[in-house]
Amino acid sequence: MEQQIGTIVSSSTTVGYCQFTPLVRQGSTIYYREGTKKIACRITYLYSSPYKGILGHISFLDQLNRPPKVGTQLFMDGTTKTEAGVYIEIGKDNWEQPVYLRLNAIFRNLLIAGKTTSGKTHAAIVIAEELVRLKVPHIIFDTQDEFVGLKEKFPGDVVATAKFREVIAAVKARKTILVRMMGMAEADKAEVVADIVSELRSLKEVSYKRNPKTIPPCLITLDEAELFAPASYSNVISSKCRRILEGLVKRGVKFGLGTILLSQRPPMLDFDLRSQSNSLLCFLLDDPGSLKIVKMLSYVTRYDGNVIRTLQQGECLAIGAIVPKPVKAKVRDITIRRTKSQNFEQLLELQVDVPEPEKPVVPVPTDEVETLDGEVVERETGIVRALREERRRVYGPYPHR
């Protein structure tokens, strides 16, 4: 539900001066309408005037050919739930408001990108937990045993198998399928992914013509996606897997097959897989190559690129079809047990050094004080130190007063 929150008083093609209602907050993403198109803006500064109310400045997130007209109304979506549908809560925004992702949009291919330990897998586990609760069929290709905790937490709703017949049976039962591939060679991992995805897509297309509900819509999560669909051909197996995945992201959504791709290095991921992703959950990326590739996505603005390079661990920027407006979110904690520990000092059983508490600094009393001009004077007499030293040189240590 959109709310009118202000009007434009004056503007150029990059910034604007506006009058607002009390609903706005600095840093919020708002928009105005130009025909049927929404032009996104960001509130960069707010202040209050006793005569005019709340005033402020905005920056336009899209490149404008001409500035908006004076008096143009500004709007803001009151929540990330803007229409009827099924939503997944992943965390909170800067104002502790819940951030929701639209499930239908996730089926239109979601890319999760970010540096190592920035929070990609954590976010994927949060989404997987919600999909288990919603009884949404979900196949997870787990390359590093990061999702094993799902089997422990939801033993009746999660199946661990790599056999296609068991995978199809679990999909029909609306369960989560965990395909564990840790310890396998990269070529073998790619072959497993290629076989399951190609057979599932073929079977889904055939059943879709007869009865779309025979095999329900299914999401496929692919960890370390650049290994299975690299930007350049590396060997025969990965080339085959790459072609199958390209066909999946291009045409799979028509038959109810959506993808969630995790990537540490977007430049190393196949172009078609990147470009067919209609939404992005982006964690910290600060290397120029990855930032350049992410900014090439049609729904990512220059401002979004600047935000991405300043994200903290566990923070992500949600952009695209999954949210009505770009929003920075702190991903919530997961409920399952993580199988891997990043406390390497504890794993090595090293002796831990406990830092000593800092001692409070006690000011040393002195008979001298420094003035604002930088001169040191005696506290009682007010005599400047330089003058006192000169008098002692002339009259001795105990001058006659």
Side-chain angles (χ1 to χ4, degrees), residues 318-362:
I319 325 172
I322 50 174
V323 287
K325 57 184 178 181
V327 57
K328 185 168 74 171
K330 178 71 175 178
V331 181
R332 69 163 174 84
D333 292 334
I334 59 178
T335 60
I336 69 171
R337 179 183 64 87
R338 289 295 294 268
T339 57
K340 292 185 178 179
S341 172
Q342 295 179 359
N343 189 341
F344 304 112
E345 299 168 351
Q346 183 179 5
L347 293 175
L348 291 170
E349 299 180 353
L350 300 177
Q351 184 177 358
V352 179
D353 295 331
V354 180
E356 297 181 359
E358 295 184 1
K359 298 181 180 180
V361 179
V362 180

Side-chain angles (χ1 to χ4, degrees), residues 208-226:
Y208 196 83
K209 296 178 181 178
R210 300 172 182 172
N211 184 359
K213 296 183 179 180
T214 303
I215 301 177
C218 178
L219 281 169
I220 300 173
T221 292
L222 194 59
D223 192 13
E224 297 185 353
E226 61 271 11

